[in-house]
Amino acid sequence: MKNIIETLKNFNLIEKISILILLILFIFVNDKNLIIGIPFLLLLTYSFIKDKTKREIIIENIGIVGAVLYLLGFSFSDYSSNRGSCLMILSFLFQIFYKKKKIEFGEKKIMYMFFFILIFGCIWTSFSYDGVNSIGRFIKVNKRFLETFLMLNIIKEKRQFIVAEKTFILGALIVAIYYMLDYILNYNIASTHVNYRCEGFKNVTYSAGILMMGSMYLFGKIWEIKTIKEIYSKYIDIISFIIIFIGLILTKLRASLLGIGAGIIFIIIFSFDWKKVLLLFLLGSSLIFVVPDTIIERVRHITIEKSIKSVNTGSDNMRRIMWQGSVYTWKNNKIFGAGARGTKYWVQKFADENTDKNGKTLYGFNREEFTYGEAHSIYLNMLAETGIFSILYFIQLFIFIPSLVLKSLKANKNKGEKLGAIVGMISYYIMGAVWSLWGYYGAVQSIFQFMLFILIYFYLEDLQNKRKEIIK
């Protein structure tokens, strides 16, 4: 805060007002109305050109401002996310061409693979069933790693990292508080009703994604607390975790809760402490007496007591059609796939071929009710959409990224942040098995990319510390 105040002293009152107005516009105003910010932008551009000190300040800070705006977009503002990306690109260009700084690729194997998938994938998908029509969609789905790349070149100092981290947590808190207030105000509504559940903040899937990975990240940090003194120093993280976790429970999304379970199991295995495990067991057991019955009812139906009238069963049975339909898509397009988001024709064709004379499809629901055209799974979508090209995705997700995880766990410094990022990614892998988090809910993929950025950030810090030790 002190640094911000000192920085702003270099700007006059009109320029400070312009900065504030532009930030508000960048977060909340749509593209059509953003034109009202042009006079304020021109004023700042004039000060940028005229005054060298101000120019240096803007160049140094435009990137982190962009990262903050981008991260706010995870929770409540798509406009903010898009404008943040633009500012990060500007900052990157300034760093490379004005400051002559070296481009940072982070963990090169991972970043090069992402670039290769994006570039070669455009060529590959042009030969798919959907042809050149799918190229634009392919780029939209697979370019999200670029924000990870940009942040690696912008966020260099610990104070910048902390600003980005706190922004991410703030966004998760906003979503969690919404669900808490929503539950209180709508307590008498049958909250297992699917329409009510899907009217969540922005969208229940996006909400569950940020709450799941946000709570896991904080859980990893809290798990590494060693002393009572650390508890007091990290009380904000602890309170934030409790609020975000409650918000996650209130989304009632079963897959996200399974992701949480997988993340916790990973932490227990790789950072075992029997005292913490006992405390976790006691706290987990107490949830039975605290969590409202409507939520327990939904979570309990993950695998048992199914009926066609159940929201859970209807959802699961439709998924089974989508999964089988996606395998059917792949069997008919094994080499090049059906194209990015190009599977609907084949999935619907599979449903038609498996509908009886009474209009009932597999598992007994009406064919008219089935309008989906994708796999509702990261992995099956990749297979159906890109054919044998999907092996590159699987190498990235299950070989290259896990290898970074293992390298990161070897160094004890910043272990809490690393564990948090790792289990955040693990929860994404689990939830992604039954939700299309890579393509159809791309904002959740962006959160995964932020977790990956955190892991690479500390991986680079570990390498830097090693070099310093060798020099000494």
Side-chain angles (χ1 to χ4, degrees), residues 45 80 91 95-96 107 125 193 232 239 262 288 316 329 437 439 451 472:
T45 303
S80 175
S91 176
Q95 300 284 357
I96 301 305
E107 215 294 332
T125 198
H193 189 271
Y232 287 117
I239 294 169
I288 297 172
D316 294 346
T329 304
L437 302 183
M451 294 289 105
K472 287 180 181 179

Side-chain angles (χ1 to χ4, degrees), residues 230-245:
E230 282 187 87
I231 292 176
Y232 287 117
S233 67
K234 292 189 177 180
Y235 72 94
I236 294 177
D237 284 341
I238 294 170
I239 294 169
S240 298
F241 167 74
I242 293 169
I243 294 171
I244 294 170
F245 185 66

Side-chain angles (χ1 to χ4, degrees), residues 62-156:
I62 194 173
I64 187 63
V65 171
V68 166
L69 292 175
Y70 174 73
L71 292 168
L72 286 176
F74 288 174
S75 54
F76 64 89
S77 174
D78 289 328
Y79 304 127
S80 175
S81 192
N82 295 336
R83 280 65 180 272
S85 295
C86 290
L87 290 182
M88 286 197 291
I89 291 169
L90 279 175
S91 176
F92 173 73
L93 295 174
F94 280 136
Q95 300 284 357
I96 301 305
F97 295 106
Y98 181 75
K99 289 285 189 178
K100 306 294 183 183
K101 290 187 177 179
K102 183 181 176 183
I103 296 175
E104 178 60 73
F105 287 96
E107 215 294 332
K108 292 184 176 62
K109 196 184 297 180
I110 291 173
M111 207 54 60
Y112 290 165
M113 177 63 93
F114 273 132
F115 275 110
F116 183 76
I117 287 172
L118 179 63
I119 296 167
F120 184 57
C122 290
I123 300 169
W124 187 272
T125 198
S126 67
F127 293 100
S128 68
Y129 175 79
D130 206 26
V132 293
N133 297 319
S134 70
I135 294 175
R137 299 192 297 268
F138 183 88
I139 293 170
K140 185 177 180 180
V141 168
N142 291 283
K143 70 179 177 60
R144 293 181 182 272
F145 81 94
L146 291 172
E147 276 73 24
T148 299
F149 170 73
L150 290 171
M151 282 189 278
L152 286 170
N153 285 277
I154 290 165
I155 300 174
K156 300 287 189 179

Side-chain angles (χ1 to χ4, degrees), residues 119 233 291 407 414:
I119 296 167
S233 67
V291 176
K407 290 175 188 174
N414 301 304

